[in-house]
Amino acid sequence: MFTYLNIVAGVLLLLASNAFAQTIITCGGVEDTATLNAAFSTGGGTFCIVGTCVAGNIVVSPGATSSVPETVSLTRCGSILAGSVPPTFIAKPGTTGTFIDARSLANSGIAHIAISCAGTAASPCLDTSWGYAGASVLNHYTDVSISNYTGVGWDAENNNDSEFDHVIANVGIPGQGSGTQIAIDMTACGGGETTHDSYWYGGMLELSAQNAVIASSGGSGIRVNQGCTSTNYITLIGDYIYANPSSGYAIWDPSPTGTGHTITALTSIGTIFVGLKGSKAAFNFTVGSGKINLTGNQFIGIKPGT
């Protein structure tokens, strides 16, 4: 049984009266900023989205500036098996700054959502970062698509011990884009990261972690140790990594001889590294005691490097 709460600016809100409280947001493709922010202002909860939401700056987590976490579930309404179109958030013209602010979430999930910055100056499109390292955040992201961004697609810094399952932040197909955009920032210096079936073509993946596993994924390079340094035990399994168009490397450290700038161990199994015009090498970083362990990999148009 549902109780109607509000209808404003083409957005219909409902709250389930059973124990599993759920706010249903139905967007009408019009200016929905105020109503969306009003719905999220309660702080935490379960929200499901229907339709296309056109808005300016959206704050999903009102406590984003606090170190106290919020628990939020943000997803589509209904079954994904029904063949319905995933709900989409689209930045309205002129949007700047963070488009969707979902910082300081813990034990939370975002799933089956598409987000477009629509070519505006909004950056990042989605911000789920934490302001400090070390906490075990334990978030789960599934089928999240970020598109049409010009700066940072998704800032997920310090999402320690979180899982990224089929997340996409493409600028274009391989070979397109300048490579300077940060598709996803997964810097997690105080914890681990797990990523699978995810793609970041045209922009780079930012990574620094105690332990990271990237499986069945692909994109335009992985930059390590940019925001901070960590132990970086990195495992690649069945990936497809292109050399980044800007750096010329598939995996690289921007300051490979700097203090603390190491990858303790890189283990790659069944991964294909692909060079593009102007590519330099697959690897450019300082390796630690664990060394580089390569099994069943392929290098196409590019040499391993150092």
Side-chain angles (χ1 to χ4, degrees), residues 164-199:
F164 297 80
D165 174 15
H166 196 245
V167 302
I168 300 170
N170 291 343
V171 177
I173 62 175
Q176 290 184 342
S178 66
T180 58
Q181 295 101 322
I182 298 175
I184 310 175
D185 188 340
M186 291 186 183
T187 300
C189 296
E193 300 260 357
T194 302
T195 305
H196 47 89
D197 300 297
S198 298
Y199 303 92

Side-chain angles (χ1 to χ4, degrees), residues 101-179:
D101 187 341
R103 291 174 291 165
S104 297
L105 301 183
N107 298 298
S108 298
I110 299 178
H112 314 301
I113 296 288
I115 301 170
S116 171
C117 270
T120 66
S123 179
C125 275
L126 173 63
D127 189 348
T128 62
S129 66
W130 273 69
Y132 61 95
S136 185
V137 176
L138 299 172
N139 289 337
H140 190 103
Y141 306 106
T142 301
D143 287 331
V144 179
S145 174
I146 313 289
S147 63
N148 294 324
Y149 58 91
T150 58
V152 178
W154 183 350
D155 186 349
E157 293 178 81
N158 296 324
N159 275 215
N160 302 326
D161 308 323
S162 294
E163 182 176 17
F164 297 80
D165 174 15
H166 196 245
V167 302
I168 300 170
N170 291 343
V171 177
I173 62 175
Q176 290 184 342
S178 66

Side-chain angles (χ1 to χ4, degrees), residues 20-83:
F20 187 71
Q22 176 175 262
T23 299
I24 300 175
I25 304 175
T26 301
C27 292
V30 296
E31 168 60 69
D32 294 321
T33 308
T35 306
L36 286 165
N37 283 329
F40 294 132
S41 67
T42 55
T46 298
F47 304 90
C48 74
I49 313 296
V50 177
T52 298
C53 302
V54 178
N57 306 102
I58 302 169
V59 181
V60 174
S61 48
T65 58
S66 169
S67 61
V68 178
E70 293 182 7
T71 299
V72 169
S73 174
L74 180 63
T75 187
R76 69 189 294 166
C77 298
S79 170
I80 63 172
L81 301 179

Side-chain angles (χ1 to χ4, degrees), residues 231-258:
T231 52
N232 291 312
Y233 288 86
I234 299 174
T235 301
L236 308 177
I237 304 173
D239 296 315
Y240 211 92
I241 310 297
Y242 283 82
N244 180 270
S246 178
S247 73
Y249 301 104
I251 304 176
W252 78 100
D253 187 319
S255 181
T257 60

